[in-house]
Every structure is written in C-alpha cells, then in structure tokens.
Amino acid sequence: MSDNQIVDNDTDVKIINTGCCHDCGGRCTLKAHVKNGKIIRFETDNGDEPQLRACARGRAYRQKLYSPDRLKYPMRRIGERGEGKFERISWDEALDTVANKLNEVKDKYGNSSILFIPGAGNQGMLHGVTPVGVMLNNFGGYTRMWGIPSYEGALFASMATYGTMMTGSAREDLLNSKLIIMWGWNPANTVWDPGTPLMLAKAREKGIKIIVIDPIFTDSAAILAEKWIPIRPGTDTAMLNAMAYVIITENLHDKAFIEKYTVGFEKYNAYLMGEDDNTPKTPEWAEEITTIPAETIKDLAREYAKNKPAALLAGWGPARTARGEQYSRAANV
Ligand code: SF4
C-alpha cells in the first residue's frame, strides 16, 4: 500500500490508495477503507472518465486477504504426499531449510539443476516472478521453463501468422466495429486493459452488436452480449474452421486482400475442404464436436463476413488446452 492516505475523522476510517495485484493486465485502482487495522471494504476509481475501475474480482480482494485458507506462515509437510498434513514452522527454520537444500543441490548437481517454475497469478512486488529470479541469479543461475503457461498459444500463433509477438488495435477502435465477437474472453472479471469496460459499454450504447462464445454464461455475457453461444470446452478450433469453411464456400472472403497480403491460402483452403484428410470442415462436422447447431455456425460466419469492420477478440483461455495454439491460429487467420 502507498502512503497516500485520506483520514475520515468522523468514522476513524483511513482510505488508502492502492492497486489490484492480480496478474490480468489491468492494474486497476483500489481504495482500501481501513478501520482498526482491518480493511472493511474496497472501493475503486469513481472519478472522471477514463477511470481505472476495478472489476468484481479485484473488489472482492478482502475474501482473499481474510480467507481462513490463506497461507500466512511457513508450513512443513508431516504426512504422506497428498495427505494434507502440515505443521507450522518458524520463518528462520523455513529459510534455513530452503537455503540448505539449495546449497546441497548446487554443490552436487550445479545451478542448472535448479528448476524455477514461476506463475504466481499475482504481480505484487513480493509475490511475482522477479524477486525469486533475482535471488536465484545472484545464487549462480537456474533453469527456467520454456514458454509461458498463460499466453503461449496466442504468442506462438501471432508469431506464426503475423510475424509479430503482439497484434491488435487500440480499445477505442472497438467503437468503429459493426460487430464484436468476444471469444473465450470475460473482461468483466479480467480487463486486460482498464479502458476495456468503458469502450465495451460505449459500444453497446452505440448499438454495436456483441456476441459472446464461451462455455460459461459469464458476467460479460450477462451484461454486454446480445447473444451468447455456449460451446463445449476445448473445441473452439473446430468452430472457427467451420466458420472459415462457410465464408470461403459462400464466396464471402476478401480475395483481393488475400492475394495482396497473405501466403499459404491454397494450403489452408485445401485443409478446410478436406483435401488432406477427407474431412471437409463443414458446420455439420463442427456441430458434432462443439455441440453448436450447424445453422448457428453458418449464421455467425455470414454475420462476421458481411459486417465490416468486425472485431474478433480471441481470449487466451481457450488456448490453454492441448493443441490450444491451433485455436489462436484459427482465430488469427
Ligand atoms: S481487472 Fe479486476 S482482477 Fe484485473 S487488475 Fe483490475 S480489478 Fe484486478
């Protein structure tokens, strides 16, 4: 928390400006109302637009902070693995145990035998990847996993399709869309960019149609979508391929753009038409896989192709599956 405090003398409540530490790309404003050393509630940015307004997850931070299940002390396992038996130990004992083990492993096998797998889901200064990485570097080095558990699929797809690590438009550009498809993306709870909720709300006010594709009826689907299409988890690639099949077979694709700016269309087309595997990626084929009716897939493909410009916002979640990078690639294409 910062020292930026406002004291309300009437209620003995200090309001401390801080930020949400969830690693969702938002870094939204939280104002902690503290009474007698305890946070009694959070509010967020209520100032002029554009606000850095926290989502419901961030504003529910007290549940995490004061959860009876929160790990507050070092605990040592005393039972069998998986048995769930632990005892509390002192910080000194915990630090000595870890330090001795690190020294032992380093002496015996070298620094490269120390595997550090980060992924805290929290970018607070004491909990993120950086402090442990710095400490292990000062210790002589370590081995780290290749790739990123969070968005490796999207990253790979962007590199393979566009040749860049990141692609996309500014959030403000959503207001120029005629159709917004939110695929596996729930910014009501993880915004990516604090400007997102405002732009989506403005898009909705402007009458831009928003469609959500997600196995879950998310908060975003509830408050933003004109239509929610539930999909069987992990089958998004099939649906996207079937949409491409419809767009191409109904001659709705932009041939001039493909001719001028892309390579490999013939191969992609051959795959969609089933020339490689005798399986045309038809909406009927995708219905079996996704549980989404073929007619719904056809309608969405036509709507997407005919409403220009349309925004397809492909979230990272569906790519966190086996071969999930193919979903990101299918969305990019
Ligand atoms: S969007 Fe929600 S979870 Fe993400 S930083 Fe903002 S408040 Fe936290």
Side-chain angles (χ1 to χ4, degrees):
M1 289 182 185
S2 76
D3 293 334
N4 190 358
Q5 301 182 355
I6 303 163
V7 181
D8 182 337
N9 290 325
D10 289 342
T11 58
D12 273 347
V13 173
K14 279 182 195 163
I15 301 173
I16 301 180
N17 290 328
T18 182
C20 178
C21 296
H22 284 308
D23 181 20
C24 86
R27 311 291 182 272
C28 306
T29 296
L30 287 176
K31 297 178 184 179
H33 290 231
V34 182
K35 187 170 186 176
N36 299 328
K38 200 155 184 201
I39 297 174
I40 54 170
R41 81 179 180 97
F42 279 113
E43 65 172 334
T44 185
D45 186 356
N46 293 319
D48 295 335
E49 297 287 6
Q51 298 173 340
L52 296 176
R53 200 165 172 75
C55 74
R57 190 158 75 110
R59 292 167 74 178
Y61 217 97
R62 285 176 71 248
Q63 290 179 22
K64 191 171 178 178
L65 195 62
Y66 298 126
S67 165
D69 293 331
R70 185 176 167 207
L71 193 57
K72 291 188 270 191
Y73 322 101
M75 305 288 282
R76 177 169 49 204
R77 176 164 61 82
I78 51 174
E80 288 301 311
R81 198 181 280 264
E83 217 181 337
K85 287 189 181 159
F86 294 88
E87 66 177 2
R88 183 176 170 180
I89 57 173
S90 70
W91 282 101
D92 282 346
E93 192 177 354
L95 289 169
D96 285 347
T97 304
V98 174
N100 289 338
K101 208 69 196 165
L102 279 171
N103 278 322
E104 185 188 318
V105 169
K106 178 179 172 175
D107 290 345
K108 226 171 174 175
Y109 306 107
N111 278 80
S112 63
S113 65
I114 300 168
L115 176 64
F116 171 42
I117 306 178
N122 182 315
Q123 285 296 357
M125 289 309 287
L126 296 176
H127 299 281
V129 173
T130 311
V132 183
V134 169
M135 187 274 287
L136 288 173
N137 270 335
N138 285 326
F139 187 62
Y142 62 97
T143 298
R144 199 172 152 171
M145 281 191 317
W146 186 90
I148 300 157
S150 173
Y151 54 85
E152 192 62 38
L155 186 64
F156 167 80
S158 185
M159 294 289 285
T161 314
Y162 303 124
T164 58
M165 288 176 74
M166 296 282 166
T167 43
S169 306
R171 289 286 184 255
E172 289 75 9
D173 218 13
L174 286 172
L175 301 181
N176 297 319
S177 305
K178 296 213 171 67
L179 170 72
I180 297 173
I181 300 177
M182 295 166 55
W183 203 303
W185 184 46
N186 180 20
N189 285 338
T190 44
V191 295
W192 273 0
D193 171 334
T196 305
L198 177 64
M199 288 309 137
L200 286 170
K202 281 189 170 177
R204 196 170 162 233
E205 276 172 19
K206 208 177 158 192
I208 298 168
K209 186 171 181 180
I210 299 177
I211 297 175
V212 167
I213 297 159
D214 202 302
I216 299 166
F217 186 62
T218 59
D219 288 347
S220 297
I223 58 179
L224 293 167
E226 196 172 313
K227 190 173 186 183
W228 166 55
I229 302 176
I231 185 168
R232 179 184 280 156
T235 65
D236 308 80
T237 314
M239 168 123 173
L240 284 157
N241 282 340
M243 285 173 64
Y245 178 94
V246 173
I247 290 169
I248 292 170
T249 53
E250 297 191 3
N251 221 10
L252 298 172
H253 53 307
D254 187 339
K255 288 173 256 343
F257 179 91
I258 291 168
E259 180 68 26
K260 190 168 181 186
Y261 294 109
T262 71
V263 291
F265 176 75
E266 294 73 22
K267 213 167 176 194
Y268 174 59
N269 187 50
Y271 169 72
L272 292 175
M273 300 305 142
E275 290 173 20
D276 298 340
D277 55 4
N278 290 324
T279 307
K281 310 305 176 293
T282 63
E284 290 73 20
W285 164 82
E287 178 177 339
E288 289 278 309
I289 299 168
T290 62
T291 70
I292 298 171
E295 283 310 312
T296 305
I297 298 173
K298 287 179 198 168
D299 288 347
L300 184 64
R302 290 171 189 143
E303 213 173 348
Y304 179 57
K306 289 178 183 173
N307 282 288
K308 290 181 180 165
L312 171 55
L313 296 150
W316 293 342
R320 293 178 191 138
T321 53
R323 300 188 179 82
E325 69 281 359
Q326 298 303 337
Y327 145 77
S328 300
R329 291 205 75 192
N332 286 1
V333 171

